[in-house]
Amino acid sequence: MARSITARRKTINTAIAWSIGLLIFFPILWTILTSFKSEADAIAFPPKFLFFDWTLENYAVVQERSDYTRYLWNSIIIAGLSTLIGVIIAIPAAWSMAFVPSRHTKDILLWMLSTKMLPAVGVLYPMYLIFIKLGLLDTRTGLVMVLMLINLPIIVWMLYTYFKEIPGEILEAARMDGASLPKEIIYVLTPMAVPGIASTLLLNFILAWNEAFWTLNLTAAKAAPLTAFIASYSSPEGLFYAKLSAASTMAIAPILIMGWFSQKQLVRGLTFGAVK
Amino acid sequence: MGQIELKKVTKRFGETEVIPPLDLVIGEGEFVVFVGPSGCGKSTLLRLIAGLEDITSGTIEIDGQDATAVGPAKRGLAMVFQSYALYPHMTVRKNIAFPLKMAGMDAAAINAKVTAAASVLNLTDYLDRRPGQLSGGQRQRVAIGRAIVREPSAFLFDEPLSNLDAALRVNMRLEITELHQTLKTTMIYVTHDQVEAMTMADKIVVLRAGNIEQVGSPLELYRTPRNTFVAGFIGSPKMNLIDGAEAAKHGVATIGIRPEHVTVSKDGGDWQGRVTVAEHLGSDTFLHVASDLGQMTVRVGGEMNVRHGDTIWMTPDMTHLHRFGADGLRTP
Amino acid sequence: MATKASRTAARMMMAPAVIVLLGWMLVPLIMTLWFSFRNYLPLRGGDLGFAGFDNYVRFITSSAFWPAVLATLTIVLGTLIITVVLGVLLALLLDQPMWGQGIVRILVIAPFFVMPTVSGLVWKNMFLDSVNGLFAHAARAIGVTPVEWIIEAPFFSIILITSWTWLPFATLILLTAIQSLDSEQLDAAEMDGAPKIKRFWYIIVPHMSRAITVVILIQTIFLLSVFAEIFVTTAGAFGSKTLTYLIYQRVLESQNIGLGSAGGVYAIILANIVAVFLMRIVGKNLDA
């Protein structure tokens, strides 16, 4: 860029952008701060920002009351496995769409995406019955399956757009070099698509982690992930700001930290591969 | 090993016939070049031989075996792609080793073969680099290396030099020709550049709209083009094709004379014209001339002192005059 | 690259994804259709037989139906407008040279990682609460009577929460789109004498149209089924009952499966209308 930017312009930009950034981030920051306050400080007027007695007590209370680690473990298993299985099913499908397109490819892709639009609540009771029949109610297996299915269209779509960027000639070269189809996918396509696959895994892990319809409605005590853990704090008797904040912080911290560390892949993933 | 025979091969994409019925025999050890303007079906033909596309009808035989239904991996052919199609996530060593690994060869044997191929292709120092760190010419050599380690019964080249700059292209042309002389394996080479075709081929196949216009050695095509299309396509600069009254004098619809078969004089000759552009190369001088017979190009060996606007006379060498009938075909 | 063998392989490789999604779509859908024609009350004797179109008529004539449709559209459209407009502005701002751009981006991205139950509860209690919420504190500080936002402005509250969640998403996609704009195009327009505002309208906005389409598509998919944000805040009270929530109450709270299923069919029809409309736009934009 040949445009010269004055230092003044840059300073103003910086000031505005930082203010807005902090404003958007503020609810999270406030939650984290409050989680270290005593209940009295949490609702003090005027609000206390940094000068209060820092305490870890809330975290101890929350862990004791709700067994955080069990929910955390459920979240990790459910989000992780559902995403992984989804990607394993989606890679061959996306390969087909990207490299052997037919007249129907686009229709199939749009149909898959449209299943995503079916309102979950419309099929809540049938799912409930199916889960009871199959003994899946309040099991991690059941939730892994459901979350895999609701995210599968997005996984296919994302992988499809990433695969389309890979030149077909390279796969043809592999074929000429004697690679069978599974080998072509394992040794050539997948390693080349690693950034795209990583973005897909990340984004869908987050979507599964934060999914809060099926996880609230198909689990009780055993398989409930963090979304349900936090919902248990919505009842008035459990409501203390500092404890709510501690529980909230515990629920979002893993994903927040993971998201920040993998920001680059994630931003790529957030665009769902549809914007370059 | 390495004889390929196409029998009544056709290819359609939906309603479009890309290759009408076509017969062709490629002999063992031959260097065959498919040449033609873009869209003539030469790359499609190569992909049909490779097995990357199905033929619509007909048969393809490799070494006497019907290979029509055999997948690309099993045909024993190696291909070098226009974009080189190197695996970007693998080192040069792994790229070259890939076909051997796919064939299930053991590690020691793979290593020996890769090392040998690398030394032939001057890639020894680059074996642990990735394709992204190589120059165009080096990438080209890796692609060739990947092809030769398999010891295929034939090599297929799809416009392999078109992504290189002019100087490198001349070098690689020589290297590929030398490679052919060393390996003596059948090579099929697709290009739109008739200079590549003329310099490299044992046999040239000129294609237009999926049809074979002529098959022959470079000099056969140069000396006796079968029709006006081949006449205009082979040779540089292009042959001058003249029709009308001047052709009628010779009893045909069109006559053709190559730029190098015309004698130029400032004093007198058969045809008069005015120089529109003179290109002085030192070794040759090319003159673009507006004459009564139309726009012509002539070549003068060495230097000649003419410039834009000069009037010159041109005399064709009658022994090198080509005659074509109204159907465009050569007449004796 | 299309030989018969590879096309056959392609069909086989697509099969698992297509089959599981087809099953996922059809089985519950057919069951919902079946229930919607039954008089099915699990707590009062279970399946009491065929009900004809009674459930459909009752659902659509109930006083809660149209307000629920309206509530759904209000939340979806409100959030879309806010996130797209603010997203464009924010993306333009973040595209400017500044110090610490990476950190600002991290700050802006963060709400996307927050699960809806958390964002709902945090906003409801710590910001919108009329006694201890920060908004109430702020109101008192300037001498205004605090508002019970959740009760008095339920749509504002919910849209605030959903917009906060989705603004990062819109901003990032639009920012990516802006950054992919060839700066030579802008230079050329400047040379052609186009002032800043015209460069924005005639070059940047058209360039972003595809990105905006994607934002609208993805957000609509997720917003149509907004649930947890309402579940933990208003629980459907104060006129904020969306179609999703209304059906949820029929099925789980009143245990009227027949009626709820009929509502589900309506919701599916509504979603399909939106889907067809969106797919048209996206289908055109999908040829990448």
Side-chain angles (χ1 to χ4, degrees), chain B residues 11 47 51-54, chain C residues 1-5 7:
Chain B
K11 177 67 183 172
R47 292 166 61 81
L52 293 171
E53 302 275 357
D54 282 330
Chain C
M1 60 181 295
T3 61
K4 211 173 289 163
R7 272 195 296 271

Coordinates of all heavy atoms in Angstrom, one line a residue, chain B residues 11 47 51-54, chain C residues 1-5 7:
Chain B
K11 N -14.7 -40.1 -28.0 CA -15.0 -39.5 -26.7 C -16.1 -38.4 -26.9 O -16.0 -37.5 -27.7 CB -13.8 -38.8 -26.1 CG -14.0 -38.1 -24.8 CD -14.4 -39.1 -23.7 CE -14.7 -38.4 -22.4 NZ -15.2 -39.3 -21.4
R47 N -5.3 -37.9 -21.9 CA -6.0 -38.3 -20.7 C -6.8 -39.6 -20.9 O -6.9 -40.4 -20.0 CB -7.0 -37.2 -20.2 CG -6.2 -36.0 -19.6 CD -7.1 -34.8 -19.4 NE -8.1 -35.1 -18.5 CZ -8.0 -35.0 -17.2 NH1 -6.8 -34.6 -16.7 NH2 -8.9 -35.3 -16.3
G51 N -6.1 -43.0 -18.9 CA -7.1 -43.6 -18.1 C -7.8 -42.7 -17.2 O -8.6 -43.1 -16.3
L52 N -7.5 -41.4 -17.2 CA -8.1 -40.4 -16.4 C -9.5 -40.1 -16.9 O -10.3 -39.5 -16.1 CB -7.2 -39.1 -16.3 CG -5.9 -39.3 -15.6 CD1 -5.0 -38.1 -15.7 CD2 -6.1 -39.7 -14.1
E53 N -9.8 -40.4 -18.1 CA -11.1 -40.3 -18.6 C -11.5 -41.6 -19.3 O -10.6 -42.3 -19.8 CB -11.2 -39.2 -19.7 CG -10.8 -37.8 -19.3 CD -11.9 -37.0 -18.6 OE1 -13.0 -37.5 -18.5 OE2 -11.6 -35.9 -18.2
D54 N -12.8 -41.9 -19.3 CA -13.3 -43.1 -20.0 C -13.4 -42.8 -21.4 O -13.8 -41.7 -21.8 CB -14.7 -43.5 -19.5 CG -14.6 -44.2 -18.1 OD1 -13.6 -44.9 -17.9 OD2 -15.5 -44.1 -17.4
Chain C
M1 N -11.8 -35.0 -14.7 CA -11.6 -36.3 -14.1 C -12.9 -37.0 -13.8 O -13.5 -36.8 -12.8 CB -10.8 -36.1 -12.9 CG -11.4 -35.3 -11.8 SD -10.4 -35.1 -10.4 CE -10.3 -36.7 -9.7
A2 N -13.2 -37.7 -14.8 CA -14.4 -38.5 -14.4 C -14.5 -39.7 -15.3 O -14.9 -39.7 -16.4 CB -15.7 -37.6 -14.8
T3 N -14.0 -40.8 -14.7 CA -14.2 -42.1 -15.3 C -15.4 -42.7 -14.6 O -15.8 -42.3 -13.5 CB -12.9 -42.9 -15.2 OG1 -12.7 -43.2 -13.8 CG2 -11.7 -42.3 -15.8
K4 N -15.9 -43.8 -15.2 CA -17.0 -44.5 -14.7 C -16.6 -45.0 -13.3 O -17.4 -44.9 -12.3 CB -17.4 -45.6 -15.6 CG -18.9 -45.9 -15.5 CD -19.3 -46.9 -16.5 CE -19.3 -46.4 -18.0 NZ -19.3 -47.5 -19.0
A5 N -15.4 -45.5 -13.2 CA -15.0 -46.0 -11.9 C -15.0 -44.9 -10.8 O -15.4 -45.1 -9.7 CB -13.6 -46.6 -12.0
R7 N -16.7 -42.2 -10.8 CA -18.1 -41.8 -10.4 C -18.7 -42.7 -9.5 O -19.4 -42.3 -8.6 CB -18.9 -41.5 -11.7 CG -18.7 -40.1 -12.3 CD -19.8 -39.8 -13.3 NE -19.6 -40.7 -14.5 CZ -18.9 -40.4 -15.5 NH1 -18.2 -39.3 -15.6 NH2 -18.8 -41.2 -16.5

